Amino acid sequence: MHCSGMAWNPEVATQLVMASEDDRMPVIQMWDLRFASSPLKILENHTRGVLAIAWSSADPELLLSCGKDGRILCWNPNTAEILYELPTGNQWCFDIQWCPRNPAVLSSAGFNSCINIYSIMGGTNQAQSQRHVDQISNSFGNMDPFGTGQTLPPLELPQSGTLSTTVNPLKKPPKWIQRPVGASFAFGGKLVSLDNGKPNPQQPNSHVVHVSQVVTETDLLKRSNQLQDTISSGQFLEFCQGKINLAENEFEKTVWSFLKANFDSDSRSRFLELLGYNKEELALKVDYTFKLHIFKLVLQCVSKLLSRNLELKSQQHFFFQLIFFLSSDVDRLITQALLTGDFEGAVELCLHDNRMADSIILAIAGGAELLKKTQKKYFIKSQSKLTKVRYIILAVVMKDLHDIMSTCELQNWKEALAAVMTYAQTQEFSALCDLLGGRLEGANDPMLQAQACLCYICAGNLEKLVSCWIKAQEGSNPHSLQDLVEKVVVMQHAVEQTQNLGPLAVGVLLAKKMSEYAKLLASQGCLTTALSYLPNESNHVCIQLLRERLSHALGQQDPASFKTQSIPSKVPHLQTPTQSNNPYSVVQPTTTAPAQLQYYQPVSYIGLFPQNYTPPAPITAPIMAPLGVNLQSQQMPSGSPQTMGQIPHALLCFQPPQSMPAEKITKKPIPDEHFVLKTTFEGLIQKCLIVATDPQTKRKLDDANKRLETLYDKLREQTLSPAIVGGLHNIARTIESRSYAEGLNIHTHIVSSSNFSEISGFMPVLKVVLTQAKKLGV
């Protein structure tokens, strides 16, 4: 071909382009001297011969060409793509050049005797030229310089043959304005970085983006892993004891001691000991006090003898001071005796201290026998001072603990809390602790405000504990947040184990703090762990949004997609792996695949009803029928309301029309190699039912026995994958060897590595059975 121009690649020394001015072959060929048998690329878009070409030295992906067709094109020679076209009108351009100083500017020379200047960054050439003309006109002013007094008209730009159009910018940013490097943090502690280095001519679009995990809170992750291990193993007592041993101050040690006491079967007695009231030690002190009292009487006798015989007033005064010193500890002993329920010891102390009125009142509360013995020594009614002893006497006799908690001196909060431990009924215990904690929290003394945490721990009030603990701490940092979460998780497990309660309610403040903690874990890359700390059932927006975001980051299904008009299935909420009925329990990731949060799919009932079925009207009056009458068998008039349950699964129990007789369903037998699963699981449930004592556990086991039919049906139809079936057999072997902890680990592995829709009907139930078996020790 006849070449009209040639240009070397500014970066690759062996590459060049050549243009053809032949109208029959208006092409630009790109060659590489290392592979000279044929061109690498052929740029074909001009309709007539190419007159000139120019390769940008600032960006090798910009190549200009102009031709007899009156067009100026800018190519990407590596992809043969036209990035944009410059307007030239009908004039031919025989030369084009890049500006050596400004890489965005270029010039074109045409046969109209004009040189045009363009910018590849876009804009309107007419607007740019008019702007320069206006600047020139304004520099002279608008008055006639020859004194005519007339206003001069503005300068006008002479018309040219060049077409004035708007030039579109490049389809891609040129190399000199591209970001050479860049970095940005993404959700989950991910750092995304890029480096636009020297491009590879063989792979012009091979841009590399680096994604790395940034961890800044290594100590926090270490403590978080320890908490996860504690939740998985259930060794909360050891965890609390470790915190007690490592406590930096006495208050922190006391808080963890109270949290540990929550796991005790007789937590109230343990609380009393922590408040300083030990029954065994009190008995020794009372005995010692009686001995001192006898010694006091001896001293009195000696004092009298000395005063009569020697009449030494100084010695008598000395002995009286000694007697007063020995009797100063009686009030404290009476208080401790009452707080530990030792009426007889308290009465004896009052009698020997000549508090006859108090001894009579306490004897009445202590029983008829104690009252009869006390009345013999009653001489005269006396009025005790309004000390903390008097408050405790009123609490014991009048049984008005609410009034005591409302009126007692806050400095005597330990005695008041101990009175609640000893005398409060179960149904009023938490409310009384909350009442005292609220008064302490509202005090002006920071020390008293901090002690309110102990009252809330005794009451099992998570929300108030969070509020009080935040006020007691100075500042907010990841470690203080970790401290709070550890206390909340330990306290919740303690309350659930000792009181057999379901998941505790999550308040606004607790939801906010758990969201902050989950965000902190997510920022360190622990997405699955962060998701497990969010309460399963929560209406708080911060929880729902963060749960949705974490689910997307883990590639799980969006919970918002469950919002449908279909009726939800009566399927209990499925727990995450290694998780009990605890909204804060932590998912332990396995080595094969990360644990996935499970959701249950709503069930749509479209198509279950016959075409002529009319939805029944709601029940507005009670159904009155004699016992033994089958309401479903009674003939109902057409269009009349039909009894229908208020729960979703009742929709499946409607009476079909007479023209659609129900078919008898015959189930296939379970294959022989899998029948051992049914016998093993049912046998374990029966063992648990024999040992279980509380009705709640029995109901759980009965429900689990029924719902495991889903598993047996899948075994009959042989629809389970071999991996799941193999895992179930491994669980059955752990049940035979009573290794329930190992069975739960296998359960976690199956859930985290399987399709949820395949196992959602039976795996959560199987976990309940294994957990109960481990708890009951069958």
Side-chain angles (χ1 to χ4, degrees), residues 368-425:
E369 183 179 353
L370 181 59
L371 177 61
K372 184 177 180 180
K373 183 173 64 174
T374 306
Q375 285 176 340
K376 294 180 181 179
K377 300 182 180 181
Y378 181 84
F379 298 107
I380 186 171
K381 184 177 180 180
S382 63
Q383 183 177 1
S384 299
K385 297 181 180 180
L386 291 177
T387 62
K388 56 186 178 183
V389 178
R390 187 65 174 171
Y391 281 120
I392 302 304
I393 293 175
L394 291 175
V396 173
V397 177
M398 304 304 295
K399 305 296 184 183
D400 192 357
L401 291 173
H402 187 276
D403 182 65
I404 298 300
M405 297 301 106
S406 302
T407 60
C408 69
E409 294 290 339
L410 292 182
Q411 298 298 333
N412 300 330
W413 68 271
K414 284 189 178 181
E415 288 75 12
L417 185 58
V420 172
M421 300 295 172
T422 305
Y423 298 108
Q425 300 295 326

Side-chain angles (χ1 to χ4, degrees), residues 58-100:
D59 188 349
E61 292 188 353
L62 297 179
L63 176 67
L64 290 173
S65 66
C66 60
K68 300 176 185 178
D69 53 3
R71 303 170 67 192
I72 298 179
L73 303 180
C74 183
W75 307 76
N76 182 347
N78 295 319
T79 62
E81 177 188 8
I82 296 178
L83 299 180
Y84 73 109
E85 181 175 353
L86 291 171
T88 60
N90 297 323
Q91 298 296 326
W92 289 9
C93 293
F94 60 86
D95 184 66
I96 51 176
Q97 297 290 334
W98 289 98
C99 177

Side-chain angles (χ1 to χ4, degrees), residues 271-278 281 285 332 336 414:
F271 285 142
L272 279 173
E273 293 180 8
L274 293 173
L275 290 172
Y277 302 102
N278 187 287
E281 293 180 0
K285 292 180 181 180
R332 183 172 58 85
Q336 294 185 2
K414 284 189 178 181

Side-chain angles (χ1 to χ4, degrees), residues 361-600:
I361 295 175
L362 290 176
I364 294 174
E369 183 179 353
L370 181 59
L371 177 61
K372 184 177 180 180
K373 183 173 64 174
T374 306
Q375 285 176 340
K376 294 180 181 179
K377 300 182 180 181
Y378 181 84
F379 298 107
I380 186 171
K381 184 177 180 180
S382 63
Q383 183 177 1
S384 299
K385 297 181 180 180
L386 291 177
T387 62
K388 56 186 178 183
V389 178
R390 187 65 174 171
Y391 281 120
I392 302 304
I393 293 175
L394 291 175
V396 173
V397 177
M398 304 304 295
K399 305 296 184 183
D400 192 357
L401 291 173
H402 187 276
D403 182 65
I404 298 300
M405 297 301 106
S406 302
T407 60
C408 69
E409 294 290 339
L410 292 182
Q411 298 298 333
N412 300 330
W413 68 271
K414 284 189 178 181
E415 288 75 12
L417 185 58
V420 172
M421 300 295 172
T422 305
Y423 298 108
Q425 300 295 326
T426 304
Q427 61 273 16
E428 63 177 356
F429 176 75
S430 296
L432 292 173
C433 293
D434 280 342
L435 176 59
L436 181 59
R439 291 190 61 203
L440 290 172
E441 193 174 0
N444 294 327
D445 188 352
M447 293 297 296
L448 293 177
Q449 293 175 355
Q451 304 302 332
C453 293
L454 304 181
C455 298
Y456 296 141
I457 291 175
C458 297
N461 195 323
L462 278 176
E463 185 72 6
K464 290 188 176 181
L465 174 62
V466 173
S467 174
C468 184
W469 183 259
I470 293 174
K471 294 178 182 177
Q473 297 303 305
E474 297 181 359
S476 177
N477 54 69
H479 290 284
S480 63
L481 185 59
Q482 178 69 32
D483 290 338
L484 175 63
V485 172
E486 289 174 351
K487 292 174 175 61
V488 168
V489 172
V490 170
M491 178 176 168
Q492 188 204 22
H493 278 81
V495 174
E496 290 180 357
Q497 289 184 16
T498 57
Q499 301 183 18
N500 293 325
L501 299 176
L504 299 182
V506 178
V508 177
L509 186 57
L510 179 56
K512 178 182 177 181
K513 288 300 174 182
M514 297 308 292
S515 297
E516 292 179 4
Y517 186 65
K519 289 179 182 178
L520 183 59
L521 290 178
S523 68
Q524 304 301 307
C526 303
L527 301 182
T528 305
T529 304
L531 187 58
S532 66
Y533 276 103
L534 297 178
N536 294 328
E537 301 293 339
S538 177
N539 296 325
H540 302 291
V541 177
C542 60
I543 296 289
Q544 294 177 348
L545 292 179
L546 183 56
R547 177 181 291 279
E548 180 180 351
R549 192 173 187 184
L550 288 169
S551 300
H552 281 301
L554 289 170
Q556 298 173 354
Q557 191 170 3
D558 183 4
S561 63
F562 295 150
K563 296 179 180 178
T564 176
Q565 298 297 326
S566 59
I567 303 174
S569 170
K570 285 294 289 185
V571 181
H573 184 78
L574 301 182
Q575 303 292 336
T576 55
T578 70
Q579 182 177 352
S580 62
N581 295 328
N582 174 18
Y584 309 109
S585 49
V586 178
V587 179
Q588 291 292 329
T590 62
T591 56
T592 56
Q596 302 290 322
L597 184 69
Q598 310 297 337
Y599 296 96
Y600 63 88

